[in-house]
Amino acid sequence: MINKVMGKDPYEILGVEKSAQLEEIKAAYRILVKKHHPDIGGNKTKILEINAAWQHLKSIENRFINKTQEQQKTKANNADFKHPENKGLDKDKAISSWLINVYNPIDRLIAEIINPFPKKIRDLSADPYDDKLMEIFCEYIKRSQKKIEKIQKLYQVIPSPIQISHFSLSLYQCFAEVEDGINELERYTAGYVESYLHDGNEMLRKAKKKRLFLHQERKQLKF
């Protein structure tokens, strides 16, 4: 049985089929927000209804996605996590292997997300309601999300040597900040809520700072 939003079917509010995927639902939501947003003379009651429908359907889709990801994660954790590249290596070689195969590529991917962001946001700010500019910005977000997926996989390739566990944790915190920032920016593209844009900008700023600290820590590693 479908839950109602303000007494109405959320699928009907957004004008999508019940079989619609999250991207299709999001696209329909964005079109309606642009049409009814109070900043451009829209009806406040209507936009509340649209936002409520989006939040409801998004939560349903995200629960499904999270359940699938959790199942995959459990499967991976149950596997033998000892990587053959670490077997037989002494301490220095194990650290060197981790830096080369994990830290270096992750650092490059983080840079590919963070460095273009200031220009991307400047370009979008010319007219956030312009379809072409928003499409370009959304493509940047999609590419960034794919890079984050690569980062997460790389981080699990080789367990970090215990001698640099603190450095490894700092790296994790850095790319987690990037991921959170990109997610906030994606939320902004869906409904033009300024707080999401502000938070995403701030998270990427913090991630950039953490990345620079990591560079300094990397120079101080002795092995």
Side-chain angles (χ1 to χ4, degrees):
M1 183 176 180
I2 299 171
N3 290 329
K4 301 291 183 178
V5 175
M6 295 185 176
K8 298 180 182 178
D9 184 335
Y11 293 97
E12 290 183 8
I13 293 173
L14 297 184
V16 295
E17 298 292 333
K18 292 179 175 61
S19 58
Q21 300 297 308
L22 186 59
E23 281 301 313
E24 186 180 350
I25 296 171
K26 178 181 175 182
Y29 168 67
R30 281 184 55 208
I31 291 171
L32 291 172
V33 166
K34 288 175 65 177
K35 182 179 179 181
H36 298 285
H37 202 289
D39 288 350
I40 52 175
N43 182 282
K44 186 179 255 188
T45 301
K46 182 67 176 176
I47 200 68
L48 287 173
E49 181 182 79
I50 292 167
N51 284 337
W54 161 246
Q55 291 298 329
H56 177 71
L57 295 182
K58 182 177 69 168
S59 68
I60 293 175
E61 291 294 321
N62 283 339
R63 279 199 298 270
F64 173 76
I65 292 170
N66 290 338
K67 183 178 180 181
T68 302
Q69 290 176 339
E70 189 61 34
Q71 289 172 342
Q72 293 173 341
K73 191 181 201 180
T74 300
K75 184 177 179 181
N77 288 340
N78 288 336
D80 181 12
F81 196 63
K82 290 183 179 180
H83 198 281
E85 289 190 34
N86 269 348
K87 293 180 179 179
L89 293 181
D90 62 25
K91 180 187 72 173
D92 289 353
K93 288 182 179 178
I95 294 174
S96 177
S97 175
W98 187 87
L99 291 172
I100 292 170
N101 294 293
V102 179
Y103 167 71
N104 288 349
I106 286 178
D107 180 65
R108 285 194 296 271
L109 287 166
I110 290 174
E112 289 173 9
I113 297 171
I114 292 176
N115 292 344
F117 174 69
K119 183 178 186 306
K120 296 295 181 182
I121 201 64
R122 280 198 306 270
D123 292 344
L124 180 65
S125 65
D127 184 359
Y129 292 97
D130 181 89
D131 287 337
K132 186 61 179 177
L133 292 177
M134 179 57 78
E135 181 182 347
I136 293 171
F137 190 71
C138 286
E139 282 300 316
Y140 158 73
I141 290 176
K142 286 181 181 178
R143 288 195 301 272
S144 297
Q145 288 172 331
K146 289 180 180 179
K147 287 180 171 66
I148 290 167
E149 288 177 5
K150 289 182 180 179
I151 288 171
Q152 292 169 336
K153 290 178 181 178
L154 281 166
Y155 192 74
Q156 297 179 6
V157 168
I158 305 175
S160 62
I162 192 170
Q163 295 85 359
I164 56 170
S165 59
H166 176 74
F167 181 80
S168 174
L169 178 60
S170 296
L171 177 63
Y172 176 85
Q173 292 170 338
C174 181
F175 72 72
E177 194 83 59
V178 173
E179 180 181 15
D180 289 343
I182 292 297
N183 287 340
E184 289 297 291
L185 294 173
E186 184 184 31
R187 293 186 182 100
Y188 168 74
T189 65
Y192 300 93
V193 179
E194 288 295 325
S195 61
Y196 292 144
L197 179 62
H198 174 271
D199 291 346
N201 192 6
E202 183 66 14
M203 288 172 183
L204 290 186
R205 186 191 68 79
K206 289 180 180 178
K208 183 176 182 179
K209 192 173 181 179
K210 287 181 180 179
R211 179 172 176 258
L212 293 177
F213 283 144
L214 278 166
H215 286 182
Q216 295 173 2
E217 285 187 55
R218 167 66 182 87
K219 292 176 182 178
Q220 295 173 2
L221 289 179
K222 299 185 183 300
F223 60 93

